[in-house]
Each structure stands twice: as structure tokens, then as C-alpha cells.
Amino acid sequence: MDDDALLAEQRAYYRAGAAEYDRQYAKYEALQKLLAVVDDLPIAGDVLELACGTGQWTLRLAARAQSVTAVDAAAEVLALARARTASPTVRFLQADLFEWKPPRHYDTVFFAFWLSHVPPTRLPDFWNTVAAALAPGGKAIFIDDGPAAAAYEEVVANQPTPAALRRLDDGSQYRIVKVFHDAQTLTDDLTALGWSVRIRSMAGNFIGIAEPPTTPG
């Protein structure tokens, strides 16, 4: 399966499973603690949130930001995010993040549990897009699963792109991109791309703050 087909299946999974998505935030205390970490992160000014999902993070970003532009490819999760976030400073936008280009600059670009869904071959282009979206002095802030999370996933073997199998209540199953980034390797990779980055671990997850190269790309 090539990246395009895998990403299409990933989008289908999040569309079909939108109503089930929030369960993990109610079930896992570690996720609830991660949500609270937003209050201690340097989120400021105009914020771009990539892959906002059902708005679990959007609501907290809005409390810290001057404005939030929250983007996701799935209309179904965006509908839930809009219902959760009744703030005049938040704008929701449906777009494929592998095709969409931000039309303006932001002080903060934030994404939670999205980096692990980006195929490794597309990471340089993704980080170039993030860099191009940041205003001078802006920061990218990201949260995701570390390698320990692989124990809780049904990893698909023999795939050119790291993948996992997810199942929904109706019995349907979907393959998604799932890359379990090691903090040190990710730091090294971003440094090689010219970023200044600090990543810390938290209960099997990691939290990163990065500043882009002077010249994106």
C-alpha cells in the first residue's frame, strides 16, 4: 500500500470513527494530564492548530490565544469540535493538511497526536509547511505518542510506511499511518533540517517546542 492509499484509509477511519474518538480522553488519565499541560506551554498570539480533531485541544488553546484557526480533513470531527468550542475567536477549516498551504503567518503552530500520522517520506515537506506558517519569532508546539505506545497498538508488519490497524464499534477496520517517534531521533532529525528544538517526555508521550530555520526549506 502506497502513502496515498494509506492516508486515504486514515481519513476514512477518522470520519467513520468521529463519534468514538473522545472516549480515550475520558478513559485515560494520562491524556487528561496532557491536556492540562497546555496551560504551561508558550502558546500565544494567533494560533494555527493542525489536525484539530474533535476540539479537545482547541478549547484550551482558545483560552490562551488571541485567535485560533483549527484545521482538519474530516467534516465529522469538525462538527464535534464546533459544538465543543463556542468561541468567537476560533475559526474552523476543513482541508487536507498534505495539500493545504496556510495563507498567512501565525505566532504558534500547534498539533497534538498528528506528527505520528505523517509518513516519514513527507516529514521534510511537512516541517517546511510549518516553518512557512510561522511569523518571525513564532514556535511550533507538538504533543504525541512515544515508542512505548506501540504496545497498545495493533502494528501492521511489512509495510513500507509504519502503520497500525484500528477497529471501530461496527466491526470495520482501517489502517492508519502510525510512527512512534523517539525523542532523541526526532530532535536529531529536526536539527538536521535547521530547527531549534526541545523535547521532553511525559508518561510515554512527548512534548516538543521548536523554532524554525531562519530560511524555511
Side-chain angles (χ1 to χ4, degrees):
M1 175 177 282
D2 63 22
D3 284 353
D4 288 336
L6 186 57
L7 288 170
E9 195 166 329
Q10 177 170 278
R11 287 192 297 271
Y13 165 72
Y14 282 106
R15 293 188 63 191
E20 301 175 28
Y21 184 80
D22 285 336
R23 291 179 189 170
Q24 58 188 327
Y25 285 92
K27 181 178 180 181
Y28 296 110
E29 184 179 354
L31 277 177
Q32 296 166 21
K33 290 181 178 178
L34 271 179
L35 285 169
V37 167
V38 168
D39 293 336
D40 298 321
L41 295 174
I43 293 161
D46 295 319
V47 175
L48 172 63
E49 183 186 9
L50 303 177
C52 67
T54 60
Q56 288 279 357
W57 302 87
T58 314
L59 187 65
R60 289 160 175 82
L61 295 173
R64 303 286 308 283
Q66 180 175 321
S67 72
V68 178
T69 300
V71 186
D72 202 285
E76 291 79 359
V77 297
L78 284 172
L80 296 172
R82 287 190 180 98
R84 168 176 278 128
T85 313
S87 170
T89 63
V90 178
R91 171 177 175 250
F92 290 98
L93 177 65
Q94 183 181 356
D96 182 342
L97 292 178
F98 294 105
E99 298 178 359
W100 180 73
K101 300 298 181 184
R104 50 158 295 189
H105 294 118
Y106 300 85
D107 302 296
T108 308
V109 176
F110 178 90
F111 39 102
F113 299 102
W114 167 246
L115 191 63
S116 58
H117 294 318
V118 178
T121 57
R122 302 195 183 201
L123 276 175
D125 284 343
F126 170 73
W127 285 109
N128 284 342
T129 297
V130 173
L134 284 168
K139 293 179 174 62
I141 300 174
F142 48 98
I143 297 171
D144 217 311
D145 292 315
Y152 303 98
E153 293 277 4
E154 191 172 342
V155 176
V156 181
N158 303 317
Q159 288 279 350
T161 298
L165 189 68
R166 296 275 181 88
R167 305 173 191 274
L168 298 177
D169 286 352
D170 63 3
S172 60
Q173 56 186 38
Y174 302 82
R175 286 163 293 189
I176 63 165
V177 177
K178 194 62 182 176
V179 184
F180 301 100
H181 289 284
D182 171 76
Q184 186 58 57
T185 302
L186 182 57
T187 298
D188 293 343
D189 290 346
L190 278 170
T191 300
L193 292 173
W195 287 75
S196 173
V197 58
R198 304 182 307 280
I199 298 177
R200 64 183 174 95
S201 298
M202 181 177 174
N205 302 111
F206 63 79
I207 302 164
I209 301 173
E211 297 179 37
T214 303
T215 305

